[in-house]
Amino acid sequence: MSAVLTLLGALDDARLTFRSRATLDRHQEHLAHGHLRWVAAHSPAVAARFRAAGLPLSRWRELPPTDKAAMLATFDTLNTVGVTLDRALAVGRQAERTRDFTPTLATPAGPVTVGLSTGTSGTQGVFLVSRAEQARWSGTVLRHLLPGGLGGLLRPQRVAFFLRADSPLYRSVGRGRLEFRFFDLLRPLPDLVAEAQAYAPTLIVGPPGVLRALHRTGIQLRARVISVAEVLDPDDEAALRGWGDVVQVYQATEGLLALPCPHGSLHLNEAHVHFDLEPLGDGLHRPVITDLRRRAQPFIRHRLDDALRLHPDPCPCGQAARRLHSIAGRQDDALHLPGPAGERVTVWPDFLRGALATVPDLREYRADQTGTHQIALHLDPHTPDTQAHALRAVRDALHRSHADPGRITLDTRPLDPTPPGTKRRRVTRTWRPT
């Protein structure tokens, strides 16, 4: 019953759309007061961080940030439901092997969902979500993503999730007129196309790389498209509009971080999460988050690896929550290249993605820094025209980014197919300084 009440409350909580920054800040401070007292009393790892820093809970904004490695190292004493990292990994990996994602973990606090990240950064993340947190997630997602908002619940909605892994978290959105179906990305593409065509979803959720592959088959769908898990580039968005309205969600192992408004802008989820934005240069910021609701696995002053670009203009929707212009990429994927004097400069992934999006007839690509002065361009199709256009576009982007194209070797090669279920990363850096 409590989970149902939480869901209904999240569905109807219009109070969480704030029109002034001062009101939003007061709301966050009010949430933080009660939340941190509870978390510090139930999470030994969080309490130890405050003690080590010599800070009272009221000065939580000054707490030195943690990261994924530290989160995993303290997992057993960080979470408040008594789950060890070994146990969580065993359940999550068993689900991925068997493709049966229904089991949950029984804990003294009740059933808990376990999920795993893709591990593209080299370390696989783990998340724990309680029943009440599932319900709040469901209500928040439904309010923001259903076609027509909450009015969309007045008519049947069929939601198609194209994801690497299913989860009871996603299934928790199935209520009444809302039907859910999981499409396993490890299945052959023709099978997914045939099933999706028969299902005729009204809402499609998936990574843009996967949805573009579906779109290229010529499948005819009329649905709202929700981009998740990967950066939504302009070329993806333009193509997917052939199905319907396209919006994106910024969600990670660390939580639900940004949601679209009725105008389609992506706003930080500041009604539930506090963001400190550390400047990275070039107008980019790295988020340090404090989830003000999540208790099973607390995230307090947790630094992410993402680079965000804020929108310079206020949104017509009038929300006080900050508006994102784009998710530039992960900091680990930023290229480190020579400048005109041989100095090392940073080129963010969105510069190259924007450049390669202008190449005529280029269906897909990957740009990878493979050495101190080398970038490999993997192109589909790998034709003389796409090679010439891609090389010119990348050299122009490098010049605008203050790198020296004359000091950088560019080579092109055909793009190998992405293995099913693999997260698409269009700009990568496999070279690491020694």
Side-chain angles (χ1 to χ4, degrees):
M1 178 60 71
S2 61
V4 173
L5 292 176
T6 303
L7 170 68
L8 295 175
L11 278 169
D12 195 39
D13 206 344
R15 295 178 298 105
L16 296 185
T17 301
F18 296 92
R19 300 295 174 179
S20 82
R21 189 72 221 180
T23 305
L24 178 53
D25 289 343
R26 286 195 298 271
H27 163 77
Q28 289 192 343
E29 197 59 48
H30 173 74
L31 284 182
H33 177 73
H35 180 69
L36 290 171
R37 288 176 60 192
W38 190 95
V39 168
H42 293 82
S43 170
V46 170
R49 285 178 62 200
F50 276 96
R51 285 196 303 272
L55 292 172
L57 296 180
S58 60
R59 293 172 58 188
W60 59 276
R61 296 169 189 262
E62 302 170 44
L63 192 68
T66 188
D67 58 18
K68 181 190 284 188
M71 182 269 287
L72 292 174
T74 60
F75 187 89
D76 295 2
T77 57
L78 172 69
N79 77 82
T80 65
V81 291
V83 174
T84 65
L85 179 61
D86 287 345
R87 186 181 175 206
L89 286 172
V91 170
R93 289 170 179 169
Q94 172 72 6
E96 299 231 359
R97 281 194 300 271
T98 63
R99 313 308 291 166
D100 177 9
F101 297 94
T102 56
T104 58
L105 273 175
T107 77
V112 171
T113 293
V114 179
L116 305 179
S117 70
T118 55
T120 52
S121 62
T123 305
Q124 191 164 41
V126 183
F127 65 84
L128 304 176
V129 185
S130 69
R131 279 280 172 86
E133 289 164 345
Q134 280 188 26
R136 183 175 292 110
W137 181 91
S138 302
T140 302
V141 165
L142 291 177
R143 285 184 64 240
H144 286 83
L145 300 185
L146 274 182
L150 290 182
L153 288 174
L154 299 177
R155 53 189 182 276
Q157 302 286 352
R158 294 176 301 280
V159 183
F161 276 92
F162 290 87
L163 298 169
R164 179 186 60 84
D166 194 4
S167 169
L169 178 63
Y170 304 128
R171 292 191 177 277
S172 67
V173 302
R175 293 290 189 277
R177 295 174 178 267
L178 191 65
E179 181 185 346
F180 164 90
R181 187 171 298 182
F182 169 61
F183 291 77
D184 192 337
L185 297 188
L186 297 188
R187 294 173 54 202
L189 183 62
D191 292 355
L192 296 178
V193 169
E195 186 178 344
Q197 190 80 70
Y199 184 55
T202 58
L203 193 73
I204 302 172
V205 183
V210 171
L211 300 184
R212 280 295 300 275
L214 287 169
H215 188 269
R216 290 190 187 105
T217 67
I219 184 174
Q220 298 297 308
L221 299 173
R222 293 301 305 168
R224 190 177 209 210
V225 178
I226 312 299
S227 169
V228 299
E230 299 169 355
V231 173
L232 176 65
D233 287 334
D235 62 314
D236 293 327
E237 183 176 359
L240 295 174
R241 283 200 198 105
W243 288 342
D245 179 35
V246 180
V247 295
Q248 63 177 317
V249 170
Y250 176 28
Q251 178 168 305
T253 306
E254 295 80 8
L256 185 59
L257 303 178
L259 288 157
C261 72
H263 290 262
S265 297
L266 191 61
H267 290 264
L268 295 177
N269 183 23
E270 296 189 84
H272 302 283
V273 181
H274 173 80
F275 291 81
D276 283 312
L277 298 178
E278 300 177 332
L280 295 171
D282 296 323
L284 294 170
H285 295 82
R286 176 173 54 194
V288 176
I289 67 162
T290 298
D291 195 309
L292 301 171
R293 303 272 193 182
R294 197 164 166 187
R295 291 185 169 184
Q297 183 182 3
F299 285 89
I300 310 297
R301 295 277 295 152
H302 183 96
R303 179 182 281 134
L304 305 183
D305 190 40
D306 298 330
L308 308 180
R309 197 180 298 279
L310 295 178
H311 203 291
D313 302 321
C315 184
C317 76
Q319 284 191 48
R322 284 167 289 187
R323 178 187 184 193
L324 293 181
H325 178 276
S326 61
I327 302 166
R330 290 207 338 243
Q331 197 173 11
D332 277 356
D333 287 335
L335 310 187
H336 299 305
L337 297 165
E343 74 280 19
R344 192 65 56 186
V345 300
T346 299
V347 178
W348 294 98
D350 59 344
F351 280 98
L352 292 192
R353 291 199 306 264
L356 288 165
T358 67
V359 175
D361 302 321
L362 185 64
R363 288 193 297 267
E364 196 51 83
Y365 63 86
R366 190 175 76 255
D368 181 23
Q369 182 180 357
T370 57
T372 55
H373 299 73
Q374 291 85 38
I375 297 176
L377 300 177
H378 304 256
L379 308 175
D380 176 26
H382 187 249
T383 65
D385 281 349
T386 58
Q387 292 178 69
H389 280 97
L391 290 170
R392 185 163 56 249
V394 168
R395 289 192 182 104
D396 288 346
L398 293 174
H399 180 74
R400 292 195 306 273
S401 304
H402 310 296
D404 183 358
R407 295 173 180 265
I408 300 166
T409 300
L410 299 175
D411 68 271
T412 67
R413 57 192 71 174
L415 176 68
D416 293 330
T418 302
T422 302
K423 191 171 185 176
R424 181 183 67 169
R425 294 162 65 195
R426 281 178 152 176
V427 180
T428 58
R429 175 167 53 89
T430 53
W431 167 77
R432 293 290 182 263
T434 56

